[in-house]
């Protein structure tokens, strides 16, 4: 199976697609970078479109699912180059509005993005956006890892696009990138989260917001996605995780 594109949800009017156009192999580990597209009745929202280097490839792949001119929103969970590096190219190529944490709006000019009138900046407490007959919810995920950061919940597919939360460097999967055995995956998760995530308190705050939603899938920006029971196991794991400032003594 081609690992670079996977339809995660499709009910005929609403579709979610996962792309993986920036994967890198580093010896044993495999750092996958996932981009996502949500389409409802021909209108699209692109999620964390990634770096400049993959723009052409992603543009072509996305255009097979939605007319580029019908991409209404592009969401950037945070400011990192693997999330936002292509923002200037998407600005030239679409008429979309750009949704991002308010904290990072001014920094986007460093990627060559100057069209600030097209930005919908998210306040720290998040926002809810009507999308067709359903809604998208921007859930605060600050300091997990970026200090201005949101996850995106799609109420129709019940997918949480979690950004770097749930990310892992893994061995190259042989098939579709989803967690099969959570316990086996936990070591890969731990390596990333211990250093990149802010603290256990912040993890718990995020989990408590996610637990209020009807979630079927958690889809991170790197690594494997968590479906059904594995999504629940991941939330339980994250609640207990020590990370970031919990390791203050080791870091200093
Ligand atoms: Fe990041
Ligand atoms: Fe990332």
């Amino acid at each position: 199976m081609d690992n670079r594109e996977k339809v995660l949800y499709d009910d005929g009017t609403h579709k979610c697609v996962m792309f993986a156009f920036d994967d890198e192999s580093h010896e044993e580990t495999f750092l996958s970078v996932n981009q996502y597209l949500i389409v409802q009745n021909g209108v699209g929202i692109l999620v964390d479109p990634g770096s400049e280097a993959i723009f052409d490839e992603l543009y072509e792949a996305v255009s097979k699912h939605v007319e580029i001119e019908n991409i209404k929103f592009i969401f950037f969970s945070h400011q990192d180059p693997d999330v936002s590096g292509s923002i200037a190219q998407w600005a030239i190529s679409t008429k979309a509005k750009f949704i991002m944490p308010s904290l990072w709006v001014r920094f986007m000019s460093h990627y060559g993005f100057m069209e600030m009138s097209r930005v919908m900046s998210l306040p720290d407490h998040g926002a809810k956006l009507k999308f067709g007959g359903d809604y998208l919810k921007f859930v605060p995920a600050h300091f997990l890892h970026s200090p201005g950061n949101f996850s995106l919940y799609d109420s129709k597919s019940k997918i949480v696009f979690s950004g770097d939360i749930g990310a892992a460097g893994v061995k190259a999967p042989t098939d579709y990138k989803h967690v099969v055995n959570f316990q086996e995956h936990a070591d890969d998760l731990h390596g990333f989260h211990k250093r990149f995530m802010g603290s256990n308190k912040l993890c718990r705050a995020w989990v408590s917001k996610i637990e209020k939603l009807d979630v079927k899938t958690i889809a991170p920006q790197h690594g494997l996605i968590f479906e059904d029971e594995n999504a629940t196991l991941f939330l339980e794991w994250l609640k207990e995780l020590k990370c970031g400032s919990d390791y203050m003594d080791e870091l200093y």
Side-chain angles (χ1 to χ4, degrees):
M1 185 184 290
D2 184 359
N3 269 338
R4 291 154 55 86
E5 183 172 329
K6 171 79 184 171
V7 175
L8 300 181
Y9 178 90
D10 189 359
D11 64 12
T13 57
H14 189 97
K15 180 157 73 166
C16 298
V17 191
M18 174 185 189
F19 304 98
F21 286 128
D22 210 4
D23 290 352
E24 291 174 33
S25 287
H26 299 281
E27 297 171 357
E28 277 287 278
T29 54
F30 175 78
L31 183 65
S32 67
V33 187
N34 306 322
Q35 305 84 35
Y36 297 100
L37 174 72
I38 308 169
V39 183
Q40 186 173 113
N41 290 321
V43 174
I45 172 166
L46 192 54
V47 178
D48 287 347
S51 66
E52 215 180 329
I54 62 158
F55 173 79
D56 289 343
E57 220 170 2
L58 185 62
Y59 181 99
E60 196 186 327
V62 163
S63 66
K64 290 176 184 154
H65 297 278
V66 63
E67 297 280 347
I68 294 294
E69 64 188 27
N70 291 338
I71 299 175
K72 198 170 175 188
F73 304 107
I74 305 180
F75 168 59
F76 303 87
S77 62
H78 63 291
Q79 84 291 2
D80 272 346
D82 59 332
V83 168
S84 306
S86 59
I87 186 169
Q89 287 151 297
W90 287 104
I92 292 166
S93 314
T94 67
K95 295 176 185 148
K97 293 281 188 192
F98 293 78
I99 305 175
M100 65 186 75
S102 56
L103 198 67
W104 298 122
V105 176
R106 70 177 66 176
F107 288 83
M108 291 298 171
S109 62
H110 297 286
Y111 291 129
F113 175 76
M114 299 299 172
E115 296 187 57
M116 298 307 166
S117 62
R118 290 170 66 183
V119 171
M120 292 167 65
S121 70
L122 294 168
D124 278 348
H125 60 268
K128 198 169 170 178
L129 182 71
K130 195 173 174 325
F131 189 64
D134 303 284
Y135 70 88
L136 303 170
K137 190 165 185 164
F138 300 91
V139 180
H142 309 305
F143 297 99
L144 301 171
H145 66 95
S146 169
N149 187 41
F150 290 90
S151 300
L152 172 58
Y153 174 67
D154 170 26
S155 71
K156 187 69 181 177
S157 65
K158 302 180 168 52
I159 298 174
V160 176
F161 300 94
S162 58
D164 283 324
I165 301 170
V170 294
K171 289 192 177 69
T174 50
D175 64 357
Y176 167 42
K177 295 185 200 178
H178 66 296
V179 175
V180 177
N181 181 320
F182 182 81
Q183 297 314 330
E184 284 177 14
H185 190 50
D187 280 349
D188 292 331
L189 286 171
H190 189 258
F192 179 84
H193 287 70
K194 180 184 174 185
R195 185 66 176 86
F196 274 84
M197 297 294 148
S199 73
N200 175 263
K201 193 173 178 181
L202 292 157
C203 291
R204 283 176 179 258
W206 183 80
V207 170
S208 75
K209 289 201 175 293
I210 298 302
E211 283 180 337
K212 290 190 180 83
L213 305 168
D214 184 8
V215 172
K216 193 178 183 313
T217 304
I218 296 175
Q221 195 234 340
H222 304 276
L224 313 183
I225 70 166
F226 305 85
E227 295 166 316
D228 304 312
E229 195 197 357
N230 284 320
T232 309
L233 288 171
F234 172 65
L235 294 176
E236 292 302 319
W237 176 87
L238 196 61
K239 269 193 230 176
E240 301 307 320
L241 179 74
K242 279 176 68 185
C243 56
S245 68
D246 304 320
Y247 286 98
M248 193 92 148
D249 293 345
E250 272 184 36
L251 289 166
Y252 292 89

